[in-house]
Each structure stands twice: as C-alpha cells, then as structure tokens.
Amino acid sequence: MSDNLLSIKDLRIEFKTDDGMVQAVKDISFDIPRGKTVGLVGESGSGKSVTSLAVMQLIPNPPGKVSNGQILFNGDDLLKKSESQMRKIRGNKISMIFQEPMTSLNPVFTVGDQITETIRLHQKISKEQAWEKALDLLDQVGIPDPKNRIKSYPHEMSGGQRQRVMIAMAIACEPDLLIADEPTTALDVTIQKQILDLLSDLQKQYNMSVLFITHDLGVIGDIADDVVVMYRGDIVEKGTCEDIFTHPKHPYTKGLMSCRPALDKNPDRLATVSDFMTEAGQEKSFDLESLRKVKKNREISEQDNPVLLETRNLMKYFPLKKSFFGTPTAWVKAVDEVNIKVRKGRTLGLVGESGCGKTTLGRTILRLTEPTAGEIIYKGEDIAKYDAEKMREMRKKMQIIFQDPYASLNPRMTIMATLTEPMKIHGIGSSRKERQEMAGRLIERCGLPASMLPRYPHEFSGGQRQRICIARALAVKPDFIVCDESVSALDVSVQAQILNLLLDLQEEFGLTYIFISHDLAVVKFISDEVAVMNKGKIVEINDAIGIYEDPQQDYTKRLLSAIPKGRPKTLEAQV
C-alpha cells in the first residue's frame, strides 16, 4: 500500500467564460500522505478551493470541467467514478468543512437532525443510535451542554459553535480524508485557536489525513506537516512545513510570509507580495529590512494632539425580555459605561472577541445606533444630544468603513455614483464635473485607476471593493473614521496593502481612527493606543507596545496567547 492516501497528478481544471476557456488549475501534482496534514496556501483566485472541489467531484459542469489528470484515492481514480459511486465516498471516506458554516447548514432543521442524517446516510443504524452518536460527536468537538444544544437551530449558535457542528458532521463517519476549506478565516483568534487545536486532536485520534486550505501561512505553521503554495493556478513551491518557513525559495512564498504583522516587530510599513515579485511572476530585488524600519513612537502631546473624541459613561442596552405590557424586564448591556479618549491624528485600536460590544460601541459613537445613556464629546460638544438635522451635518466629519465591502456598496450604482453621491448631499463641489474630477483623484489616491469609475461593485475583487469603501469614506473630507473589522475578511497580502494605505492617508489628511478588530497583531501594527473590550466594558487601555509587552488583565493575556505563532510545530518543539 502506498504511503500516500491521495495523489493528484497533472490536474487541469478549466472554466468556460465569455472570453473563452480559462485555466483555473494548470496541470498541478501533489500528494497527501496517510495520517498527515497538508496545508494548501494561496490568495483568493489561486485555485485552492477549486482543487478541493475537484477531489469531491463538486465542480459545476458547465461551466467548469476537469480536462486532464488523475485524482488517486487509495489507488482508485476518483475522476472515473460515477455520481452514485461518489455519493458513497463523500461524507463517508472523504469529508469537507466549508468556509462559511451558516450557508452550509440548513436553517430549517436542528443541528441534531443534520448530523444524524449524515450518519444514517452512510451507516445502517437506528435513529436512536444515530442520535446518541450525534450527542457524542457534539461532546467531542466541545459544544457545551450537548443534550440541549443538539436541539438548537443554526441561527441560535455562535460562529465558532456552528463551525464545530460542521466538524462534527465531517467526522461523523470517521473519514480517511478531511478537507478543511478556510475553516477559521472569519473567526476570532481565540475561537480560531480552539478550532485548530480541535482539528489537530481529531486528526491524531482518527489518524485522518487532512487537506487544510488557507491564505494565511501563520495558521499553516500551527497545524500542517507539509505545505503546497499555489499562485494563479500553479504550484510554485512545496515541501515540509519546516523547510518552507526556514528556507522559502519562491518570491510569492516570501511575500506571503512577510505580509502578516508580527508581534515581536514594530515596522513602519508591511511588506506585500508586489514587493517581492512583478505582475508577471518575476522575482524583484528587495531589501526587506529597509521596509521594516522600526516605527518611531509618535509623541502624543496635548498641544499637537488634543482629544478629538471622548465618551463619558457611554451605554447602549438592548431589551432581552419584555413583560406582558411590553416593558423591558431584562437587558443586554452591549456597551456598559465606556470611557475612552481618541486624540487628533492618532489611532485607537479596539479589540475583543465577537459579542464583546466593540462594533456596537463604534456605531453608537457615530449615532448609527442611539445611545441609552452617556456623553459623546466631539471637539468639546456632546453630540449625543444633537437632533437629526445637526447629526446630518456631523456626518461630514465622522465616517465609517464597514467589514463587508460588498454588502455596504449599492450593487446598482457605479463607483462614480457611489463616490459623488455623498459629495452632492453634503454640498461638496460646485458642479457635477468638479465632483467627478474629485472622485477620479480620490480613487487613484486609494490605489485604483480612474478608468474603473464607470464599473459596478461586482466587477471588483474584495480588496478593490474595500479601497472603494475607503474612497467613499474620504469623499466628504472627514476628520474621524471608524474602521469596523475592515480588513478581517481579506487575504493577508491584500490586508497588508489596505493597512499601509490607511496609514498613508492618515499621514496625508491628518485623519483620526478608531480601528476595530479581533486580530491583535493587526491592531498592534496600526494603533497608537489599544483598548481591550470584554462583555461591554473596557477592561484595559495602554499604548500599543505596552499592551503587548505588559498585559495586565487575564483576558488580554488570553487573547495574546491565541494569536498564531506562524512557526512550524517542529521548530516550536526545539525552542
């Protein structure tokens, strides 16, 4: 028997488009050994997920098709299997965890029903036996109180719990191969660590092979034995995790490794893939240390950097229960007596897990959500008392960049209309032509050519859409911007570009930011001060370096310990 459970040989995948056939995967070959974890790494569009769908024979045909190659599973070519044969393999011998559990789970069935359905599809056992096994699986993957949670619907569970349910379904039949497609991308660092530890434990327990797909090499270092790096449909490098991390050969790999902010460094800017290679894929001569000059600790003086915005005992409560007469009897204290100060031209990082109240705090400061009590002092005035008309005037000075750029852009409006509409509303520019010229300069300053202005949001990548959202926020010439998880859904290389852009714009226009994120490494890079939030309260505030070098609260220490180290397990063992 071969040491490899799965062997992909000369795999080519093509898609029919209006411009002809496009090769999404270009004659690639790699192996997945038995009982090992292989990390498949690359940016969006590199061909990672398409490769995994080919293994499962889930590529929609048309428009896609496998036009060449073999996918050998235990020596049998999966590409020669019929649909009925593949149904017996999927979920039984090969299972898959998808990136977004909410779209993968059926909202009208309980999680127990969905897990038992998977079990009974492949195993001849009674409904009662399947239910008992489902309970055991939920317990294995760390769902608290499984006897009650098994009756829950997907919307009643948190993102991390839904991902655990997906893992329970995937291991229900003890598969030989588990494919995990970006299973931690949208999760908090603490939940991400729990999921990575869980997958690692299950892999050992069941002696599974795992194909772990991600764009983040930092995560790969924590889980993989071998690494395969993909770029535009090609494999550009592969080897053991230790070799890839200690001696990367391809400029693309070097770029991916350098994009991620590191806790032990304080660079002026982040490196990006384009620093290491040209558009054509050729290596550039590049001095990484020159880019990584240490960021100077910027002096924050009361004279040069007066307090622009301050909250005093700010509260936002949501009614949890109401009496028969509609009077609230219990509350969710999303923002609970929060006191923060943001100085002009500086960045306050706001960190915490999902549900801690950080997004609600950002929205309450902007009065997108009305405060329950407290003061919001902006340039000496309490804007919490402003009426709707005065707040509309304030919108020119205070803007927000949302987490999901696609959801926050109107799909029916061109980018030109998106940028010029707020200018027109707030009386910026004397004519339509002047506003269009301003939009052209603005989009170019944000890294996109003005020729793209007539296009619609769906014609752009995620990173390009986020640049458009930044340009829209700048269109009314604000002083203050709330960045709400504005890079969390992006590839690490695109994330680095956006973070560098935000710093450049801050320096150029004297902008003041509140930067909201669950990623402490990102927050440390961009922030001057950091506030840690937990259960609606600010539990710790310090300058960006101090909060990492000398955390005072156990909660902060736990957040820091959850950040992926970005080092292979073998190297960690040697430390």
Side-chain angles (χ1 to χ4, degrees), residues 6-14 25 27-29 50-61 64-86 89-90 94:
L6 188 91
S7 291
I8 292 176
K9 298 182 182 293
D10 301 319
L11 181 68
R12 186 191 309 150
I13 303 171
E14 297 178 322
V25 174
D27 300 318
I28 66 168
S29 301
V50 175
T51 300
S52 67
L53 290 173
V55 173
M56 300 288 283
Q57 277 208 43
L58 291 175
I59 290 176
N61 184 6
K65 67 172 183 176
V66 176
S67 56
N68 188 55
Q70 295 177 299
I71 301 175
L72 302 177
F73 180 70
N74 278 325
D76 289 335
D77 190 353
L78 295 178
L79 298 177
K80 293 181 179 175
K81 300 282 184 186
S82 66
E83 178 56 28
S84 61
Q85 289 173 318
M86 280 305 299
I89 293 171
R90 288 190 209 112
I94 306 175

Side-chain angles (χ1 to χ4, degrees), residues 188 311 314-316 333-340 348-362 364-365 514 516-518 520 530-541 547 553 555-556 558-559:
D188 294 339
T311 66
L314 188 61
M315 291 182 268
K316 178 58 188 178
K333 297 180 179 180
V335 176
D336 194 12
E337 296 187 351
V338 166
N339 297 287
I340 57 170
L348 175 70
L350 193 59
V351 294
E353 298 170 285
S354 292
C356 72
K358 53 189 191 299
T359 291
T360 304
L361 174 56
T364 305
I365 286 170
I514 286 183
I516 299 170
S517 180
H518 62 259
L520 283 92
V530 177
V532 182
M533 198 167 181
N534 184 27
K535 296 178 181 176
K537 290 186 177 289
I538 301 293
V539 296
E540 188 166 355
I541 297 183
I547 207 112
Q553 299 293 319
Y555 180 73
T556 310
R558 185 160 66 86
L559 287 179

Side-chain angles (χ1 to χ4, degrees), residues 67-137:
S67 56
N68 188 55
Q70 295 177 299
I71 301 175
L72 302 177
F73 180 70
N74 278 325
D76 289 335
D77 190 353
L78 295 178
L79 298 177
K80 293 181 179 175
K81 300 282 184 186
S82 66
E83 178 56 28
S84 61
Q85 289 173 318
M86 280 305 299
R87 274 200 295 268
K88 292 176 183 175
I89 293 171
R90 288 190 209 112
N92 189 23
K93 298 293 184 184
I94 306 175
S95 281
M96 192 162 182
I97 306 165
F98 294 94
Q99 179 172 350
E100 180 41 69
M102 196 60 184
T103 57
S104 306
L105 292 168
N106 193 322
V108 300
F109 292 103
T110 66
V111 297
D113 288 334
Q114 296 183 63
I115 297 170
T116 53
E117 182 188 28
T118 302
I119 296 167
R120 296 192 71 202
L121 190 65
H122 297 289
Q123 297 177 16
K124 293 180 180 177
I125 59 175
S126 68
K127 192 172 182 180
E128 290 73 22
Q129 289 172 313
W131 193 260
E132 284 302 312
K133 184 163 185 179
L135 274 171
D136 183 52
L137 285 166

